[in-house]
Amino acid sequence: MGIGHFADARRTDRTESNWNVMKHSKFVIAALGAACLCLGACDKPSGNRHSDAVSAAATPNQLNAFIAAHNRLLDSFGLTEMATNYRKANVVHATTDGEFLVGPGSIDKGIEQLKAARALSGASADLNGAADALIVSSTKARDHLADLAPYYTSKAYLNDKLARGRKEDPQMLAELDAADADLKRFGEMLDRETMKRDIAAIQKLKAEGNVLDYNRRLAMFHANAMIKRFVAPQAPNEALFASSDADAAIIDKAIAAAHAAAVKSGGKDPAELHFLSSMLGSYRTFKETRRPTHVEQMVGSYNTAVEAANW
């Protein structure tokens, strides 16, 4: 099957429909978190790794701290998940026998990490400003969710037939929308700043002739780019597959070069390379099937590669 080719119009419709369903699923939220994680994970020194391979785009301490805080807000029981849970309750149209998973979860942990990162220095004024806005909006949403939690967990809504819940619903939704918007803006700015650092680090490793670490980092960088495309809201198209094929070719070559360098030095292949190969396998399967489950497999392999690169 050619790049971006759909067998017929009916298959295109089914794919787009499935994609619309999938893009709202929990795995996309997790993937968005993991996509940012890789950018920081590749900088973590271990043994004789390239601990100085960072650029002046931002000092690694603050930038990595921002990455960790951002991921925490995207992680299980973070801002994104707790906002999704609240919206699913659809309070304004709900009945008293509905399911209400309302609470602050672990949003406070993400806020604490964000505040700690904000106290550091080195990132741009724009990124720090975006962090400030996110701290304010996420704190407001967190506090309101915490205030509402006993009402729902104790089922006090049975006494007033959801009167309080419906009354506060517009405000709660507005606060979650504001926090989500600030989280998205912060993530986009964090992405840009981290990309500058990663590109500089890759160039530095290449100039130093560090073949193993250069290719490891190059492979992770392009894997990150692939994942970002597939967790975007639009359905797959020819341009997406063309760009991803180009990234896949670079990753294949980088994996082979890193393997050769590891063999030459008498060492083992870096653990993340195996999972990146699995990610590429799921990507190529997805090109054939157009089944969203294969994108989930891509993301799973990528997430595991990120974890492996952290060690």
Side-chain angles (χ1 to χ4, degrees):
M1 184 180 291
I3 296 173
H5 173 70
F6 291 97
D8 54 42
R10 289 173 296 174
R11 184 172 183 182
T12 302
D13 292 340
R14 286 201 305 273
T15 300
E16 290 179 351
S17 176
N18 288 342
W19 198 262
N20 287 334
V21 171
M22 185 186 71
K23 72 183 182 184
H24 295 295
S25 67
K26 183 176 178 180
F27 109 87
V28 174
I29 295 168
L32 290 171
C36 290
L37 176 63
C38 175
L39 299 177
C42 297
D43 283 324
K44 184 174 181 179
S46 177
N48 61 354
R49 289 189 187 180
H50 48 280
S51 58
D52 63 338
V54 294
S55 75
T59 59
N61 286 342
Q62 187 175 32
L63 194 54
N64 285 345
F66 272 146
I67 290 168
H70 181 255
N71 287 329
R72 192 65 194 83
L73 289 169
L74 290 169
D75 204 355
S76 297
F77 304 106
L79 174 61
T80 303
E81 182 172 320
M82 302 317 294
T84 298
N85 286 345
Y86 182 83
R87 292 189 181 100
K88 283 181 178 179
N90 193 17
V91 175
V92 70
H93 296 117
T95 61
T96 54
D97 60 353
E99 184 178 33
F100 302 97
L101 301 177
V102 178
S106 300
I107 298 175
D108 56 336
K109 294 182 180 179
I111 295 172
E112 289 170 6
Q113 285 184 258
L114 197 57
K115 288 180 177 178
R118 183 64 183 86
L120 301 173
S121 62
S124 69
D126 287 343
L127 184 57
N128 278 311
D132 289 337
L134 179 55
I135 289 170
V136 171
S137 60
S138 58
T139 298
K140 185 178 293 186
R142 185 265 172 206
D143 290 347
H144 198 171
L145 286 170
D147 188 50
L148 282 172
Y151 172 76
Y152 287 102
T153 56
S154 70
K155 297 192 176 182
Y157 58 82
L158 293 174
N159 296 330
D160 68 356
K161 307 303 181 186
L162 275 173
R164 178 190 172 188
R166 292 193 177 98
K167 180 181 179 181
E168 296 188 28
D169 186 57
Q171 180 184 348
M172 188 72 258
L173 288 173
E175 289 167 353
L176 292 173
D177 287 346
D180 279 347
D182 286 339
L183 182 61
K184 180 180 178 182
R185 177 171 172 265
F186 177 74
E188 290 172 347
M189 296 181 69
L190 182 61
D191 226 18
R192 289 195 294 269
E193 201 155 320
T194 310
M195 185 174 291
K196 291 179 183 177
R197 184 184 70 175
D198 278 6
I199 290 172
I202 290 170
Q203 292 172 340
K204 185 175 187 293
L205 289 167
K206 185 176 182 179
E208 292 172 345
N210 188 335
V211 178
L212 178 59
D213 285 339
Y214 164 73
N215 282 287
R216 292 176 63 196
R217 188 168 186 130
L218 185 68
M220 292 296 285
F221 183 85
H222 285 274
N224 178 261
M226 286 183 69
I227 291 297
K228 286 178 185 174
R229 292 191 197 99
F230 284 97
V231 299
Q234 70 271 12
N237 53 47
E238 290 190 14
L240 180 146
F241 284 110
S243 297
S244 296
D245 279 348
D247 280 321
I250 293 172
I251 295 169
D252 275 329
K253 291 180 180 178
I255 289 174
H259 170 72
V263 171
K264 185 176 181 180
S265 65
K268 296 180 179 179
D269 282 357
E272 68 267 24
L273 299 187
H274 168 74
F275 300 110
L276 291 182
S277 292
S278 295
M279 186 197 79
L280 292 181
S282 296
Y283 163 67
R284 288 165 177 142
T285 301
F286 176 67
K287 282 178 61 181
E288 294 291 327
T289 66
R290 302 299 199 270
R291 294 174 184 168
T293 53
H294 293 132
V295 175
E296 294 184 45
Q297 292 169 6
M298 273 183 67
V299 173
S301 294
Y302 170 77
N303 289 345
T304 308
V306 171
E307 293 174 2
N310 262 327
W311 289 94

